[in-house]
Amino acid sequence: MHSDLTLTTSTTSYPVVVAAGALADLPARLRTLGLGGTLWLVCDGAVADWYAAPLAARLRDAGFVVQMMPVPPGDASKNVAQLSELHTWMIAGGVERRDTVLALGGGVVGDLAGFAAASILRGVAVVQLPTTLLAMVDAAVGGKTGINHPLGKNMIGAFHQPRMVLADTDTLATLPPHSLREGWAEVIKHGVIRDAGLFADLEALAAQRGWNADQPGGLWDAHDAELTARLTAIIRRAVAVKVEVVGIDEHEQGERITLNYGHTIGHAVEQLSRYAMLHGEAVAVGMHAEARLAQALGMCDPDLVARQAALIHAYGLKTALPNHDSDAVIALTMRDKKVHAKKIRWVLPCAIGQVQVRDDVPEALVRQILAS
């Protein structure tokens, strides 16, 4: 049994729990944190019956007052209209500053409900309860909240750290295969940017299980105790990377920018697909393109690009760029949140476990990578 991770910044400290069956402990953990008042449970509509309704019943049995609102699944819910619906629901229900928002679902719910918590009454507590792999290792940890704008992804939001992140890996057993696969992109990314041992663990598991491009793996099998234990340990290690980076740089002024590896091109192709491409799928494509960019700049050798591509394929993801117009991709990269003084700050790998931030990448080279 692992102890909880703890994310500590200059302004806050909170537990980050990654364990099977963790949702069962939520009532006791809320009391330990001193969280009371009304619990505003915002859930992804896809998990309302699976997890939200039983969780609400468990909390009510423990003496909590719970209000529940499902939101439609998918990135299209991260908009002003849906945010306004949450505000209206809470205001009409008599929300008070001592209340707590519970965000149960994937990254969309975490971002949306987190931003609602940050903005209602100028801020109430939020607890992140991720049920997708992508949210567990990335979106739920670190306090980024927000919604999309027609001109860019995640362009409107706030940093609002949760009081706790509680990731119950048992929820991954009911996740659709394509949703589980996209989460592995962020796990692989954490290995590339900061933890070579994590990357090696992912490779070793794939090799042991015979996972490759023809027989991809990384799916959850609740009947395979050894596999689920290994995957849970890998997930926890990936979460630890995010915890460490945010602890160093809470508001993305330096080190935290490295977490955006693969996202500069990834966000662009994701938006150009009108979000038909899942976030993790786009990040996988972005990582491959940005690794090739690093190779062209002489920052890394071809082996890194090949190893990363092989691992991406082994976990069921693709590396090929969609057939988008290069001008459209580059125009969207210029709206990236990392742009500084009209220069794109690219996160590029030098070795497995190490990246650098560069703002001197020629546009012509980016076009060459996109075209090839």
Coordinates of all heavy atoms in Angstrom, one line a residue, residues 166-231:
L166 N -8.6 12.7 -5.9 CA -8.8 11.3 -5.5 C -9.1 10.5 -6.8 O -10.1 10.6 -7.3 CB -9.9 11.2 -4.5 CG -10.1 9.8 -3.8 CD1 -10.6 10.0 -2.4 CD2 -11.1 8.9 -4.6
A167 N -8.1 9.7 -7.2 CA -8.2 8.9 -8.4 C -8.4 7.4 -8.1 O -7.5 6.8 -7.6 CB -7.0 9.1 -9.3
D168 N -9.6 6.9 -8.3 CA -9.9 5.5 -8.1 C -9.7 4.7 -9.4 O -10.5 4.8 -10.3 CB -11.4 5.4 -7.7 CG -11.8 4.0 -7.3 OD1 -11.1 3.0 -7.6 OD2 -12.8 3.8 -6.6
T169 N -8.6 3.9 -9.4 CA -8.3 3.3 -10.7 C -9.3 2.2 -11.0 O -9.3 1.7 -12.2 CB -6.8 2.7 -10.6 OG1 -6.7 1.8 -9.4 CG2 -5.8 3.8 -10.5
D170 N -10.1 1.8 -10.1 CA -11.2 0.8 -10.4 C -12.1 1.3 -11.5 O -12.7 0.6 -12.3 CB -12.0 0.4 -9.2 CG -11.3 -0.6 -8.3 OD1 -10.3 -1.2 -8.8 OD2 -11.7 -0.8 -7.2
T171 N -12.2 2.7 -11.6 CA -13.1 3.2 -12.6 C -12.6 3.0 -14.0 O -13.4 3.1 -15.0 CB -13.3 4.8 -12.4 OG1 -12.0 5.4 -12.5 CG2 -13.9 5.1 -11.0
L172 N -11.4 2.7 -14.2 CA -10.8 2.5 -15.5 C -11.3 1.2 -16.1 O -11.2 1.0 -17.4 CB -9.3 2.5 -15.5 CG -8.6 3.8 -15.0 CD1 -7.1 3.6 -14.9 CD2 -9.0 5.0 -15.8
A173 N -11.9 0.3 -15.3 CA -12.4 -1.0 -15.9 C -13.6 -0.8 -16.8 O -13.9 -1.6 -17.6 CB -12.7 -1.9 -14.7
T174 N -14.3 0.4 -16.6 CA -15.5 0.6 -17.4 C -15.3 1.7 -18.5 O -16.2 2.1 -19.1 CB -16.7 1.1 -16.5 OG1 -16.3 2.2 -15.7 CG2 -17.1 0.0 -15.5
L175 N -14.0 2.1 -18.6 CA -13.7 3.1 -19.6 C -13.6 2.5 -21.0 O -13.0 1.5 -21.2 CB -12.3 3.8 -19.2 CG -12.0 5.1 -19.8 CD1 -13.0 6.2 -19.3 CD2 -10.6 5.5 -19.5
P176 N -14.3 3.1 -22.0 CA -14.2 2.6 -23.4 C -12.7 2.5 -23.8 O -11.9 3.4 -23.4 CB -14.9 3.6 -24.2 CG -15.8 4.3 -23.2 CD -15.1 4.3 -21.9
P177 N -12.4 1.5 -24.6 CA -11.0 1.3 -25.0 C -10.3 2.5 -25.6 O -9.2 2.8 -25.3 CB -11.0 0.2 -26.0 CG -12.2 -0.6 -25.6 CD -13.2 0.4 -25.1
H178 N -11.0 3.3 -26.5 CA -10.4 4.4 -27.1 C -10.1 5.5 -26.1 O -9.1 6.2 -26.2 CB -11.3 5.0 -28.2 CG -12.6 5.5 -27.8 ND1 -13.7 4.7 -27.5 CD2 -13.0 6.8 -27.6 CE1 -14.7 5.4 -27.2 NE2 -14.3 6.7 -27.2
S179 N -10.9 5.6 -25.0 CA -10.7 6.6 -24.0 C -9.5 6.2 -23.1 O -8.7 7.1 -22.7 CB -12.0 6.8 -23.1 OG -13.0 7.3 -23.9
L180 N -9.4 5.0 -22.8 CA -8.3 4.5 -22.0 C -7.0 4.7 -22.8 O -6.0 5.2 -22.3 CB -8.4 3.0 -21.6 CG -7.4 2.5 -20.7 CD1 -7.4 3.3 -19.4 CD2 -7.7 1.0 -20.4
R181 N -7.0 4.4 -24.1 CA -5.8 4.5 -24.9 C -5.3 5.9 -24.9 O -4.1 6.2 -24.9 CB -6.0 4.0 -26.3 CG -6.1 2.5 -26.4 CD -6.1 2.0 -27.9 NE -6.3 0.6 -28.0 CZ -7.4 0.0 -28.3 NH1 -8.5 0.7 -28.6 NH2 -7.5 -1.3 -28.4
E182 N -6.2 6.9 -25.1 CA -5.7 8.3 -25.2 C -4.9 8.7 -23.9 O -4.0 9.5 -24.0 CB -6.8 9.2 -25.5 CG -7.8 9.5 -24.4 CD -8.5 10.8 -24.5 OE1 -8.0 11.7 -25.2 OE2 -9.6 10.9 -24.0
G183 N -5.3 8.1 -22.8 CA -4.6 8.5 -21.6 C -3.2 8.1 -21.5 O -2.4 8.8 -20.9
W184 N -2.9 7.0 -22.2 CA -1.5 6.6 -22.2 C -0.5 7.5 -22.9 O 0.7 7.6 -22.6 CB -1.3 5.2 -22.9 CG -2.0 4.1 -22.0 CD1 -3.0 3.3 -22.3 CD2 -1.6 3.7 -20.7 NE1 -3.3 2.5 -21.3 CE2 -2.5 2.7 -20.3 CE3 -0.6 4.1 -19.8 CZ2 -2.4 2.1 -19.0 CZ3 -0.5 3.5 -18.6 CH2 -1.4 2.5 -18.2
A185 N -1.1 8.4 -23.8 CA -0.2 9.4 -24.4 C 0.4 10.3 -23.3 O 1.6 10.7 -23.4 CB -1.1 10.2 -25.4
E186 N -0.4 10.8 -22.3 CA 0.1 11.6 -21.3 C 1.0 10.9 -20.4 O 2.0 11.5 -19.8 CB -1.1 12.2 -20.5 CG -2.0 13.2 -21.3 CD -1.4 14.6 -21.5 OE1 -0.2 14.8 -21.1 OE2 -2.0 15.4 -22.1
V187 N 0.8 9.6 -20.1 CA 1.7 8.8 -19.3 C 3.1 8.7 -20.0 O 4.1 9.0 -19.4 CB 1.1 7.4 -19.1 CG1 2.1 6.6 -18.3 CG2 -0.2 7.5 -18.3
I188 N 3.1 8.4 -21.3 CA 4.3 8.4 -22.1 C 5.0 9.7 -22.1 O 6.2 9.8 -21.9 CB 4.0 7.9 -23.5 CG1 3.5 6.4 -23.5 CG2 5.2 8.0 -24.4 CD1 2.9 6.0 -24.8
K189 N 4.2 10.8 -22.2 CA 4.8 12.1 -22.2 C 5.5 12.4 -20.9 O 6.6 12.9 -20.9 CB 3.7 13.2 -22.4 CG 4.1 14.6 -22.3 CD 3.0 15.5 -22.0 CE 2.7 15.5 -20.5 NZ 1.6 16.4 -20.1
H190 N 5.0 12.0 -19.8 CA 5.6 12.2 -18.5 C 7.0 11.5 -18.4 O 7.9 12.0 -17.8 CB 4.7 11.8 -17.4 CG 3.6 12.8 -17.1 ND1 2.7 12.6 -16.1 CD2 3.2 13.9 -17.8 CE1 1.8 13.6 -16.1 NE2 2.1 14.4 -17.2
G191 N 7.1 10.3 -19.0 CA 8.3 9.6 -19.1 C 9.3 10.3 -19.9 O 10.5 10.4 -19.6
V192 N 8.9 10.9 -21.1 CA 9.8 11.6 -22.0 C 10.4 12.8 -21.4 O 11.6 13.1 -21.4 CB 9.1 11.9 -23.3 CG1 10.1 12.7 -24.2 CG2 8.7 10.6 -24.0
I193 N 9.5 13.6 -20.7 CA 9.9 14.9 -20.2 C 10.7 14.9 -18.9 O 11.6 15.7 -18.7 CB 8.8 15.9 -20.0 CG1 7.8 15.4 -18.9 CG2 8.0 16.0 -21.3 CD1 6.8 16.5 -18.5
R194 N 10.5 13.8 -18.1 CA 11.1 13.9 -16.7 C 11.5 12.6 -16.1 O 12.3 12.6 -15.1 CB 10.1 14.6 -15.8 CG 10.8 15.2 -14.6 CD 9.8 16.1 -13.8 NE 10.5 16.7 -12.7 CZ 11.1 17.9 -12.7 NH1 11.3 18.5 -13.9 NH2 11.7 18.4 -11.6
D195 N 11.0 11.4 -16.5 CA 11.2 10.2 -15.8 C 11.6 9.1 -16.8 O 10.7 8.3 -17.3 CB 10.0 9.9 -15.0 CG 10.2 8.7 -14.0 OD1 11.2 7.9 -14.2 OD2 9.4 8.5 -13.1
A196 N 12.8 8.9 -17.0 CA 13.3 7.8 -17.9 C 12.9 6.5 -17.4 O 12.7 5.5 -18.2 CB 14.8 7.9 -18.2
G197 N 12.9 6.3 -16.1 CA 12.5 5.0 -15.5 C 11.1 4.7 -15.8 O 10.7 3.5 -16.0
L198 N 10.2 5.7 -15.8 CA 8.8 5.4 -16.1 C 8.7 5.0 -17.6 O 7.9 4.0 -17.9 CB 8.0 6.7 -15.9 CG 6.6 6.8 -16.5 CD1 5.7 5.7 -15.8 CD2 6.0 8.2 -16.2
F199 N 9.4 5.6 -18.4 CA 9.4 5.3 -19.9 C 9.9 3.8 -20.0 O 9.3 3.0 -20.8 CB 10.3 6.2 -20.6 CG 10.2 6.1 -22.1 CD1 9.3 7.0 -22.8 CD2 10.9 5.2 -22.9 CE1 9.2 6.9 -24.2 CE2 10.8 5.1 -24.3 CZ 9.9 6.0 -24.9
A200 N 10.9 3.5 -19.3 CA 11.5 2.1 -19.4 C 10.4 1.1 -18.8 O 10.3 0.0 -19.3 CB 12.8 2.0 -18.6
D201 N 9.7 1.4 -17.8 CA 8.7 0.6 -17.2 C 7.6 0.3 -18.2 O 7.1 -0.8 -18.4 CB 8.1 1.2 -16.0 CG 9.0 1.1 -14.7 OD1 10.0 0.4 -14.8 OD2 8.6 1.7 -13.7
L202 N 7.2 1.3 -19.0 CA 6.2 1.2 -20.0 C 6.7 0.3 -21.1 O 6.0 -0.6 -21.6 CB 5.8 2.6 -20.6 CG 5.0 3.5 -19.7 CD1 5.1 4.9 -20.1 CD2 3.6 3.0 -19.6
E203 N 8.0 0.5 -21.5 CA 8.6 -0.4 -22.5 C 8.6 -1.9 -22.1 O 8.3 -2.8 -22.8 CB 10.0 0.1 -22.9 CG 10.0 1.3 -23.7 CD 11.4 1.7 -24.1 OE1 12.3 1.7 -23.2 OE2 11.7 2.1 -25.2
A204 N 9.0 -2.1 -20.8 CA 9.2 -3.4 -20.3 C 7.9 -4.1 -20.2 O 7.8 -5.3 -20.6 CB 9.8 -3.4 -18.9
L205 N 6.8 -3.4 -19.8 CA 5.5 -4.1 -19.7 C 5.0 -4.4 -21.1 O 4.5 -5.5 -21.3 CB 4.5 -3.1 -19.0 CG 3.1 -3.6 -18.9 CD1 3.0 -4.9 -18.1 CD2 2.2 -2.6 -18.2
A206 N 5.2 -3.5 -22.1 CA 4.8 -3.8 -23.5 C 5.5 -5.0 -24.0 O 4.9 -5.9 -24.7 CB 5.0 -2.6 -24.3
A207 N 6.8 -5.1 -23.8 CA 7.6 -6.2 -24.3 C 7.2 -7.5 -23.6 O 7.1 -8.5 -24.3 CB 9.1 -5.9 -24.0
Q208 N 7.0 -7.5 -22.3 CA 6.6 -8.7 -21.6 C 5.2 -9.2 -22.1 O 5.0 -10.4 -22.3 CB 6.4 -8.4 -20.1 CG 6.0 -9.6 -19.3 CD 5.8 -9.3 -17.8 OE1 6.3 -8.3 -17.3 NE2 4.9 -10.0 -17.2
R209 N 4.3 -8.3 -22.4 CA 3.0 -8.7 -22.9 C 2.9 -8.8 -24.4 O 1.8 -9.2 -24.9 CB 2.0 -7.6 -22.4 CG 1.8 -7.5 -20.9 CD 0.8 -8.5 -20.4 NE 0.8 -8.6 -19.0 CZ -0.2 -9.2 -18.3 NH1 -1.2 -9.7 -18.9 NH2 -0.2 -9.3 -17.0
G210 N 4.0 -8.5 -25.1 CA 3.9 -8.7 -26.5 C 3.1 -7.6 -27.3 O 2.7 -7.8 -28.4
W211 N 3.0 -6.4 -26.6 CA 2.3 -5.3 -27.2 C 3.1 -4.6 -28.3 O 4.3 -4.3 -28.1 CB 1.8 -4.3 -26.2 CG 0.9 -4.8 -25.1 CD1 0.1 -6.0 -25.2 CD2 0.6 -4.3 -23.8 NE1 -0.6 -6.1 -24.1 CE2 -0.3 -5.1 -23.2 CE3 1.1 -3.2 -23.2 CZ2 -0.8 -4.9 -21.9 CZ3 0.7 -2.9 -21.9 CH2 -0.3 -3.8 -21.3
N212 N 2.5 -4.4 -29.4 CA 3.2 -3.7 -30.5 C 2.1 -3.0 -31.4 O 1.0 -3.0 -31.0 CB 4.1 -4.6 -31.3 CG 3.4 -5.9 -31.8 OD1 2.3 -5.8 -32.4 ND2 3.9 -7.0 -31.4
A213 N 2.6 -2.5 -32.5 CA 1.6 -1.8 -33.4 C 0.5 -2.7 -33.9 O -0.6 -2.3 -34.1 CB 2.3 -1.2 -34.6
D214 N 0.8 -4.0 -34.0 CA -0.2 -5.0 -34.5 C -1.0 -5.5 -33.4 O -2.2 -6.0 -33.6 CB 0.5 -6.1 -35.2 CG 1.3 -5.6 -36.5 OD1 0.7 -4.8 -37.2 OD2 2.4 -6.1 -36.7
Q215 N -0.5 -5.5 -32.2 CA -1.2 -6.1 -31.0 C -1.1 -5.1 -29.9 O -0.4 -5.3 -28.9 CB -0.6 -7.4 -30.6 CG -1.4 -8.2 -29.6 CD -2.7 -8.7 -30.1 OE1 -2.8 -9.1 -31.3 NE2 -3.8 -8.7 -29.3
P216 N -1.7 -3.9 -30.0 CA -1.5 -2.8 -28.9 C -2.1 -3.3 -27.6 O -3.1 -4.0 -27.6 CB -2.2 -1.6 -29.5 CG -3.2 -2.2 -30.5 CD -2.6 -3.4 -31.0
G217 N -1.6 -2.7 -26.5 CA -2.1 -3.1 -25.2 C -2.5 -1.8 -24.4 O -2.8 -0.8 -24.9
G218 N -2.3 -2.0 -23.1 CA -2.6 -0.9 -22.2 C -4.0 -0.8 -21.8 O -4.4 0.1 -21.1
L219 N -4.8 -1.9 -22.1 CA -6.2 -1.8 -21.7 C -6.4 -2.5 -20.3 O -5.6 -3.3 -19.9 CB -7.1 -2.6 -22.8 CG -7.1 -1.9 -24.1 CD1 -8.0 -2.6 -25.1 CD2 -7.5 -0.4 -24.0
W220 N -7.5 -2.2 -19.7 CA -7.7 -2.6 -18.3 C -8.5 -4.0 -18.3 O -9.5 -4.1 -19.0 CB -8.6 -1.6 -17.6 CG -8.3 -1.5 -16.1 CD1 -9.0 -2.1 -15.1 CD2 -7.2 -0.8 -15.5 NE1 -8.4 -1.9 -13.9 CE2 -7.3 -1.0 -14.1 CE3 -6.2 0.0 -16.0 CZ2 -6.4 -0.5 -13.2 CZ3 -5.3 0.5 -15.1 CH2 -5.4 0.3 -13.7
D221 N -7.9 -4.9 -17.6 CA -8.6 -6.2 -17.4 C -8.8 -6.4 -15.9 O -7.8 -6.8 -15.2 CB -7.8 -7.3 -18.0 CG -8.4 -8.6 -18.0 OD1 -9.5 -8.8 -17.3 OD2 -7.9 -9.6 -18.6
A222 N -10.0 -6.2 -15.4 CA -10.2 -6.3 -14.0 C -10.0 -7.7 -13.4 O -9.8 -7.9 -12.2 CB -11.6 -5.8 -13.7
H223 N -9.9 -8.7 -14.3 CA -9.7 -10.1 -13.9 C -8.3 -10.5 -13.9 O -7.9 -11.6 -13.5 CB -10.5 -11.0 -14.9 CG -12.0 -10.8 -15.0 ND1 -12.8 -11.0 -13.9 CD2 -12.7 -10.3 -16.0 CE1 -14.0 -10.7 -14.2 NE2 -14.0 -10.2 -15.5
D224 N -7.4 -9.6 -14.3 CA -5.9 -9.8 -14.3 C -5.3 -9.0 -13.2 O -4.9 -7.8 -13.5 CB -5.4 -9.5 -15.7 CG -3.9 -9.9 -15.9 OD1 -3.2 -10.0 -14.8 OD2 -3.5 -10.1 -17.0
A225 N -5.2 -9.5 -12.1 CA -4.8 -8.8 -10.9 C -3.3 -8.3 -11.1 O -3.0 -7.1 -10.7 CB -4.9 -9.6 -9.6
E226 N -2.5 -9.1 -11.7 CA -1.1 -8.7 -11.8 C -1.0 -7.5 -12.8 O -0.3 -6.5 -12.5 CB -0.2 -9.8 -12.4 CG 1.2 -9.5 -12.6 CD 2.0 -10.5 -13.4 OE1 1.4 -11.6 -13.7 OE2 3.2 -10.2 -13.7
L227 N -1.7 -7.5 -13.9 CA -1.7 -6.4 -14.9 C -2.2 -5.2 -14.2 O -1.6 -4.1 -14.4 CB -2.5 -6.8 -16.1 CG -2.6 -5.7 -17.2 CD1 -1.2 -5.3 -17.7 CD2 -3.5 -6.2 -18.3
T228 N -3.4 -5.2 -13.6 CA -4.0 -4.0 -13.0 C -3.1 -3.4 -11.9 O -3.0 -2.2 -11.8 CB -5.4 -4.3 -12.4 OG1 -5.3 -5.4 -11.4 CG2 -6.3 -4.7 -13.5
A229 N -2.4 -4.3 -11.2 CA -1.5 -3.7 -10.1 C -0.3 -3.0 -10.8 O 0.1 -1.9 -10.3 CB -0.9 -4.9 -9.3
R230 N 0.3 -3.6 -11.9 CA 1.4 -2.9 -12.6 C 0.9 -1.6 -13.2 O 1.6 -0.6 -13.2 CB 2.0 -3.9 -13.6 CG 2.8 -5.0 -13.0 CD 3.5 -5.8 -14.1 NE 4.6 -5.0 -14.6 CZ 5.5 -5.4 -15.6 NH1 5.3 -6.7 -16.0 NH2 6.4 -4.7 -16.1
L231 N -0.2 -1.7 -13.9 CA -0.7 -0.4 -14.5 C -1.0 0.7 -13.4 O -0.7 1.8 -13.7 CB -2.0 -0.7 -15.3 CG -1.8 -1.6 -16.5 CD1 -3.1 -1.9 -17.2 CD2 -0.8 -1.0 -17.5

